[in-house]
Amino acid sequence: LSDVPRYIAIFPYDAQQEDELSFPADAILEILDQTTTTGWFKAKLGEQVGLIPSTYVQAMDAPPPTCQ
């Protein structure tokens, strides 16, 4: 297992620019860089790498909310 954070797509996304990555809803994306541009992650899906909107994905290993 790698330490690369994995995110799942909440919505599908169609790339608008050449450096962006298209993906379907429920796609599992590896996040390579979360510091590129505000609101964008550099992600990998299969053999493709590109920018994705961070609001379209959520962390798979996010801890469940705790009740205090």
Side-chain angles (χ1 to χ4, degrees):
L1 289 171
S2 67
D3 292 331
V4 177
R6 289 157 57 104
Y7 281 58
I8 187 165
I10 310 166
F11 311 108
Y13 181 72
D14 288 323
Q16 307 293 312
Q17 305 290 332
E18 285 186 17
D19 60 350
E20 295 175 7
L21 186 61
S22 296
F23 53 85
D26 297 327
I28 307 301
L29 299 133
E30 293 182 359
I31 305 303
L32 306 176
D33 186 0
Q34 299 181 17
T35 61
T36 47
T37 311
T38 303
W40 294 83
F41 292 159
K42 184 176 180 183
K44 182 176 180 182
L45 177 62
E47 295 303 310
Q48 296 182 299
V49 174
L51 298 175
I52 63 166
S54 60
T55 53
Y56 280 58
V57 296
Q58 68 181 21
M60 294 187 67
D61 55 358
T66 56
C67 297
Q68 306 235 338

